[in-house]
Amino acid sequence: MLLTGDYHTHTLYSHGKGTVLENAMRAKEIGLKEIAITDHGFEQLAFGLRHDRIPQLITDCKKASEQVGIPVYVGTEANLCDENGRTDLQPKDYKDFDIFLMGIHRFVRFTRFRDFWYMLMLNSWHTSMHIKPSESLIRYNTNAYINAIKNNPIDVITHLNYQSFCDVVEVAKAARDYGTYIELNSKKVHLTDEEVAKIRDTGVHFLIDSDAHSVDRIGDTQLVDKLLERVEIPHAQIDNIDGKYPKFRFREFKERNL
């Protein structure tokens, strides 16, 4: 399966191994029409993008686009920081970015102790010990995702349910209603086949992304290819294949408001 664009890739600006130019060159080499650089958000404590590096990131993306000949978008994979849906991409920074991804991650500067407890401690505990999550944990994560989708012009929810637990149907319905994509991540197994089928049946649209942290994985879809052999998803619901380009919510928001 050939992607039109890979919209989830990392570089040395967070904890990827390649440069912006190297990612772009690889995208061009394998036939992608565009690529996004989406390093981790500002409040990822170990390796998040820092505000003082944004100007150089923008310059690198512009130069890479000019050199390689395909669009190279300035993006971020923002962190979900609390149950109210706060992310670490704030409106004051919108002008600097083209694409807005968001997911649940560990070691983030959460808003309150309650958010630290649920989003890091309880998610980690249940994941590592293979314990069935409580209804309260599922409700917390579900509320956090839905509130983030409602309150922010998020383009893509990344690796839904990876090391976390939510009601995927309710999250997918919110994503469908607000124009946010659900990602099929080709780096992580983050949804069961049953969950994928339930999400598909809501009518939400998907993007397939590599989540590449090394240059050689740009555009890699192998894990998702195997998933799609088991779970049928109509191609009409996947918006970055067959020459199609996604309709990004964040772009439309900026055109209306900035």
Side-chain angles (χ1 to χ4, degrees), residues 156-209:
V156 186
I157 299 297
T158 62
H159 47 68
L160 180 64
N161 261 20
Y162 179 69
Q163 298 183 341
S164 62
F165 308 89
C166 72
D167 184 330
V168 296
V169 170
E170 292 306 310
V171 175
K173 286 178 180 177
R176 176 199 64 198
D177 293 345
Y178 282 84
T180 295
Y181 290 104
I182 299 295
E183 179 183 71
L184 298 175
N185 186 296
S186 201
K187 182 175 183 285
K188 303 173 174 71
V189 176
H190 60 108
L191 294 165
T192 67
D193 291 359
E194 181 181 9
E195 287 172 332
V196 172
K198 288 180 177 179
I199 292 171
R200 172 203 63 199
D201 291 345
T202 68
V204 72
H205 281 226
F206 299 89
L207 293 187
I208 300 172
D209 286 322

Side-chain angles (χ1 to χ4, degrees), residues 8-9 17 34 38 44 114 124 136 143-144 148 159 170 174 183 190 192 201 220 245 254:
H8 186 176
T9 78
K17 297 179 180 179
E34 54 187 22
T38 52
Q44 211 294 330
R114 169 183 168 83
S124 298
S136 64
N143 288 340
H159 47 68
E170 292 306 310
E183 179 183 71
H190 60 108
T192 67
D201 291 345
D220 179 8
Y245 292 86
K254 290 179 62 175

Side-chain angles (χ1 to χ4, degrees), residues 80 83-87 100 102 141-157 160 168 170-182 204 249:
L80 183 52
E83 188 179 10
N84 294 325
R86 182 180 75 83
T87 83
F100 185 173
M102 189 215 71
N141 289 323
T142 302
N143 288 340
Y145 274 123
I146 291 174
N147 286 331
I149 291 167
K150 288 181 177 179
N151 297 331
N152 304 274
I154 296 168
D155 290 318
V156 186
I157 299 297
L160 180 64
V168 296
E170 292 306 310
V171 175
K173 286 178 180 177
R176 176 199 64 198
D177 293 345
Y178 282 84
T180 295
Y181 290 104
I182 299 295
V204 72
R249 176 185 177 191

Side-chain angles (χ1 to χ4, degrees), residues 2-255:
L2 181 63
L3 303 183
T4 310
D6 190 349
Y7 302 103
H8 186 176
T9 78
H10 295 274
T11 71
L12 292 167
Y13 278 97
S14 58
H15 71 321
K17 297 179 180 179
T19 66
V20 171
L21 179 58
E22 288 170 336
N23 279 20
M25 290 175 65
R26 177 60 178 166
K28 177 74 170 184
E29 177 185 348
I30 64 173
L32 299 185
K33 304 303 182 184
E34 54 187 22
I35 186 173
I37 306 300
T38 52
D39 282 301
H40 288 282
F42 302 116
E43 295 190 27
Q44 211 294 330
L45 298 174
F47 39 71
L49 177 67
R50 301 304 176 223
H51 281 91
D52 61 4
R53 303 193 72 192
I54 293 175
Q56 188 60 52
L57 171 61
I58 294 171
T59 297
D60 287 355
C61 289
K62 182 178 180 180
K63 287 183 176 179
S65 179
E66 291 170 350
Q67 183 171 335
V68 176
I70 63 173
V72 179
Y73 297 117
V74 182
T76 185
E77 185 184 13
N79 298 293
L80 183 52
C81 299
D82 65 32
E83 188 179 10
N84 294 325
R86 182 180 75 83
T87 83
D88 54 2
L89 183 63
Q90 294 297 300
K92 64 183 177 64
D93 295 310
Y94 284 1
K95 67 184 185 304
D96 295 322
F97 291 88
D98 304 311
I99 290 180
F100 185 173
L101 278 56
M102 189 215 71
I104 288 180
H105 299 91
R106 298 180 176 183
F107 311 119
V108 169
R109 187 180 292 108
F110 298 107
T111 305
R112 301 160 299 182
F113 179 78
R114 169 183 168 83
D115 304 303
F116 164 82
W117 180 250
Y118 274 91
M119 209 169 293
L120 175 60
M121 299 303 293
L122 291 184
N123 279 332
S124 298
W125 171 255
H126 285 79
T127 297
S128 61
M129 300 303 292
H130 304 287
I131 299 171
K132 183 178 179 180
S134 65
E135 290 185 7
S136 64
L137 178 57
I138 292 174
R139 183 168 56 251
Y140 171 91
N141 289 323
T142 302
N143 288 340
Y145 274 123
I146 291 174
N147 286 331
I149 291 167
K150 288 181 177 179
N151 297 331
N152 304 274
I154 296 168
D155 290 318
V156 186
I157 299 297
T158 62
H159 47 68
L160 180 64
N161 261 20
Y162 179 69
Q163 298 183 341
S164 62
F165 308 89
C166 72
D167 184 330
V168 296
V169 170
E170 292 306 310
V171 175
K173 286 178 180 177
R176 176 199 64 198
D177 293 345
Y178 282 84
T180 295
Y181 290 104
I182 299 295
E183 179 183 71
L184 298 175
N185 186 296
S186 201
K187 182 175 183 285
K188 303 173 174 71
V189 176
H190 60 108
L191 294 165
T192 67
D193 291 359
E194 181 181 9
E195 287 172 332
V196 172
K198 288 180 177 179
I199 292 171
R200 172 203 63 199
D201 291 345
T202 68
V204 72
H205 281 226
F206 299 89
L207 293 187
I208 300 172
D209 286 322
S210 69
D211 193 1
H213 286 62
S214 59
V215 175
D216 62 295
R217 285 207 62 256
I218 300 295
D220 179 8
T221 64
Q222 290 186 47
L223 194 62
V224 176
D225 292 343
K226 292 177 181 178
L227 168 67
L228 296 179
E229 290 175 0
R230 303 188 305 270
V231 182
E232 182 179 357
I233 298 178
H235 281 201
Q237 274 181 258
I238 305 174
D239 283 5
N240 63 330
I241 61 172
D242 301 336
K244 293 187 295 183
Y245 292 86
K247 183 179 180 181
F248 283 124
R249 176 185 177 191
F250 185 55
R251 183 180 299 163
E252 294 184 348
F253 174 88
K254 290 179 62 175
E255 289 172 352

